[in-house]
Amino acid sequence: RGSVSGQAKPTFYLLRGDDNTRIKEIIAGFQAGLGDPSMADLNTTRHEGASLGFETLQADALTMPFLADRRLIIVENAQDFLSRMAKERAQACLDLFGNLPETTALVMLVEDQQTKRRGERYWEHGKTYAWLTDWMRGHNDQALLIDCALPDDEDMPSWILRKAKELGGGFRPDAARLLASYVGNNTMRARNEVEKLITYVGERQVVEEADVSLLTAQEQEGNIFTLTDALGERNSKAAMQQFMLLMEDNDLLELTGMIHRQFRLLIQAREILDAGGKAQDIERELSVLGFVSRKLADQARRFSMRQLLEIHDRLLKIDLDMKSGGIPGDVAYELLIADLTR
């Protein structure tokens, strides 16, 4: 399996995580590597994991590219496909993945989240595709696992500094900390804000704290903590108002990720509180900023663990419905808010 540099190129890639910004950047890099954009489009195939069959994937994976060095096959929501294959065709899949032609780049996108409990991290759904990741560890020349988890809140100032440098600008550390306190670990919004701020400062190049205060007006936007507060207080008017504000500033899928993450954090915070912990323990265990840990502690006390788990299950169903053509996401969230604030 050669390349121009003489280094072997993997033919199978597994991208897992919930940082959609990074996943999109990696996919864009794959497509750029196909050469001419018109040829790249012709040699890129996308599949939906929920409806993909093994034979279809096999046929595409073994098809030669058209006037290009490689053919790119992307399986979105691959966790659905892998879960089915684990029961039906696991060995057939591994045989296929291990014998892909060097002209194929097969990329599977698995939506998953990292959870931290008692100082250890694990992938929430990792067990459902462990048969694949176990195989990948023994086939490093053919297969590449790329983790795309959202950064912890405490890592976001460093993330902002790196992104600013990538985009040709710079940030003062205090400006990066302030922006991180506004955007949390929402990397899509953070990237947009970094780009906007670098453009604003122009030739000065370095973004300062005053620039962030001026251009990133947190008070005027929907706030995920305010939405959760309103739900905990059973204040339907305030909850719906915050949801609408959040909808104005975020794509629905992006907003879904924010809401999911908030309730996952609340479940973990509730677990720590039930074990006798305090806000400081939440800060340490979940790697969040101090003010975030205090807010999580206050909010978690407004819900029982049972309520939080039920909300989490409901959110998973909304996500599934959105992807499978069920109830539209905005309608489903409005119904959820109405139910939770009765």
Side-chain angles (χ1 to χ4, degrees):
R1 297 175 190 279
S3 69
V4 174
S5 65
Q7 293 289 320
K9 275 188 180 179
T11 50
F12 180 83
Y13 302 82
L14 179 65
L15 275 61
R16 65 173 171 185
D18 50 0
D19 188 347
N20 292 324
T21 303
R22 185 167 179 227
I23 290 171
K24 286 177 181 176
E25 288 174 350
I26 293 171
I27 293 296
F30 278 128
Q31 291 186 298
L34 295 179
D36 180 78
S38 60
M39 288 296 103
D41 286 342
L42 283 174
N43 287 290
T44 300
T45 302
R46 290 181 179 267
H47 290 291
E48 170 55 50
S51 56
L52 178 62
F54 174 77
E55 286 75 14
T56 300
L57 179 63
Q58 183 180 46
D60 275 349
L62 300 178
T63 298
M64 295 294 291
F66 179 69
L67 299 178
D69 292 334
R70 288 193 113 185
R71 176 174 168 77
L72 177 63
I73 301 166
I74 303 167
V75 181
E76 298 177 339
N77 301 313
Q79 62 275 13
D80 291 334
F81 173 79
L82 296 174
S83 180
R84 279 187 289 114
M85 292 302 107
K87 301 170 186 175
E88 302 168 8
R89 307 287 293 275
Q91 190 55 53
C93 282
L94 297 181
D95 290 342
L96 173 63
F97 302 158
N99 291 284
L100 293 169
E102 62 182 13
T103 52
T104 292
L106 174 55
V107 183
M108 296 218 165
L109 309 181
V110 170
E111 291 185 16
D112 207 347
Q113 302 86 33
Q114 275 195 334
T115 299
K116 184 176 180 182
R117 288 185 185 170
R118 294 174 177 81
E120 293 188 8
R121 293 180 182 278
Y122 65 92
W123 292 93
E124 286 194 1
H125 306 295
K127 289 182 180 178
T128 63
Y129 53 91
W131 60 276
L132 176 58
T133 50
D134 288 345
W135 173 84
M136 293 179 72
R137 289 188 190 97
H139 295 79
N140 293 331
D141 57 331
Q142 300 162 282
L144 181 62
L145 174 61
I146 305 175
D147 288 338
C148 301
L150 284 168
D152 290 332
D153 284 5
E154 65 180 6
D155 295 329
M156 278 305 291
S158 297
W159 187 98
I160 288 166
L161 292 172
R162 288 195 304 273
K163 184 57 64 177
K165 188 174 180 180
E166 283 176 26
L167 295 173
F171 259 72
R172 301 280 184 207
D174 55 354
R177 286 193 294 271
L178 180 60
L179 180 58
S181 73
Y182 285 167
V183 301
N185 72 344
N186 185 334
T187 53
M188 186 177 295
R189 185 178 166 212
R191 188 191 192 287
N192 291 340
E193 291 295 328
V194 169
E195 201 163 12
K196 178 176 73 177
L197 285 157
I198 288 174
T199 302
Y200 171 73
V201 299
E203 294 181 359
R204 175 156 53 93
Q205 290 190 317
V206 178
V207 176
E208 299 181 355
E209 191 174 9
D211 302 318
V212 178
S213 297
L214 178 65
L215 292 188
T216 308
Q218 175 193 32
E219 297 78 15
Q220 297 175 7
E221 300 173 352
N223 185 297
I224 193 70
F225 282 115
T226 307
L227 172 61
T228 316
D229 272 339
L231 292 174
E233 294 166 358
R234 309 296 188 267
N235 186 332
S236 60
K237 184 177 179 181
M240 197 65 74
Q241 182 181 38
Q242 282 304 314
F243 177 73
M244 293 303 178
L245 284 170
L246 284 161
M247 281 281 288
E248 289 178 10
D249 296 311
N250 301 276
D251 174 83
L252 186 55
L253 282 176
E254 182 185 348
L255 178 55
T256 296
M258 291 167 62
I259 295 173
H260 278 223
R261 176 177 177 275
Q262 182 69 4
F263 278 96
R264 285 198 306 274
L265 287 172
L266 287 173
I267 288 170
Q268 294 171 74
R270 181 77 253 185
E271 185 179 52
I272 293 167
L273 293 175
D274 288 346
K278 296 182 170 55
Q280 299 96 304
D281 301 299
I282 293 172
E283 180 179 355
R284 185 181 65 256
E285 289 280 339
L286 304 187
S287 298
V288 295
L289 298 173
F291 83 93
V292 175
S293 68
R294 292 189 292 275
K295 196 70 176 170
L296 287 171
D298 290 341
Q299 292 189 339
R301 292 188 182 100
R302 298 181 182 183
F303 299 90
S304 68
M305 179 61 85
R306 180 180 174 183
Q307 286 174 319
L308 290 170
L309 291 173
E310 287 175 351
I311 293 170
H312 185 259
D313 288 345
R314 183 89 174 262
L315 290 172
L316 290 177
K317 185 177 185 308
I318 290 173
D319 189 45
L320 182 63
D321 284 346
M322 285 172 60
K323 291 169 182 170
S324 60
I327 299 175
D330 54 347
V331 176
Y333 275 114
E334 288 171 14
L335 289 172
L336 174 64
I337 290 168
D339 288 344
L340 292 180
T341 54
R342 278 178 182 164

